[in-house]
Amino acid sequence: MSWATARTSATRPGGAPGVATIVAEDPDHVEALLAGDCVDDDSVILSPDEHPDPRVVRYRGSLTVPGDEGSINDEVFLQTQEYRSCPYVSVLGPTFVRITHPTDLDVFLRDADAARATGQIADYLLEPALRVADGCALGESAGGAGPRSRLVVRGGGEVSTSPTGTALGAVGDGLAELVRRHDEINDAATQPCAVSLGAVVDDQVRTQALDSRPWLGRYLAGVDAIKALRARGGTGLHLSGFGHRLSSAVEGIDARDETSPLLLLWSDDAAYVVEPATRRTVRIALRTGALVEAILVAGSVEAAAAVVDPTAVAEVGRTLSAAGFPVPSGVLA
């Protein structure tokens, strides 16, 4: 999961010198990986063949080719598909959806724009077993996107962070050089994670798409939040800022929640505050949810006090802050 989605694995030891997960398309490259400094005692190499080293885990099929299925130790089965095929392909098990072509990006953006305008998220994205790969290149945090978290070694020996990524070097290159090249590409870009889709999408096109949609990361986080709440029995869920607002009090004001670190969702009987960075979720009353929404949309507790009850919104802001939630800045003494 962390390899495909670029979300940092919670089980990775802090300060580990090697790469967390490496997928090798050709087993002939495994020895070179083991001999280099990309692999430490806690690294995992996924290889098409068995190997006596316990850090090497065999897989069958493919973990990188869209339309193929891979299995790990004949126990875990994973499918890979192109985003543009989502409307036509049923999800039968754990599936990673990838941007593999400019058309995939176009369809992804079309779905995102429709959700933003109407609140209707494509049904296939809400399948519990489906995950969008390389969200780091689509507006999510890029904290787990670099070479220290994940690598793929293609059949020809080229090394990248993703099957669709810009080549950073070749098998046998040192980790420091791969990191240097990764950082060099990203330093020249204006949007995070310019590597992960670099082999299939022009980065200027990707950058323009993200520049005009600063809310894309919140969209993907909202999709995950809805799936998580559905798994707990939630129904009829709405995501604030996507087609709807919970409270009419915030309608018409200059919205400042496009990049907020918190999400507000609600159903007919409750509201939910979600912190995507930690996946923390708190259920609250609808009336309290309306106050939280005012803080997020207005951009601060003080600004929210101009459109909702000042005493009540200040108390909600203090409660959120005391609970460790990142309340929008510059407002609480």
Side-chain angles (χ1 to χ4, degrees), residues 98 201 263:
R98 292 192 174 278
V201 174
L263 300 175

Side-chain angles (χ1 to χ4, degrees), residues 108-118 121 138-140 191 209-223 239-243 245 255-260 263:
F108 169 78
L109 295 173
R110 181 197 67 195
D111 286 347
D113 288 340
R116 181 70 170 174
T118 68
I121 295 171
L138 300 170
E140 288 187 344
Q191 285 286 351
L210 269 67
D211 283 346
S212 62
R213 299 170 179 84
W215 43 265
L216 269 180
R218 288 170 59 76
Y219 164 66
L220 288 172
V223 168
L239 175 62
S240 179
F242 288 79
R245 294 291 189 187
R256 298 172 180 249
D257 62 341
E258 290 188 331
T259 59
S260 172
L263 300 175

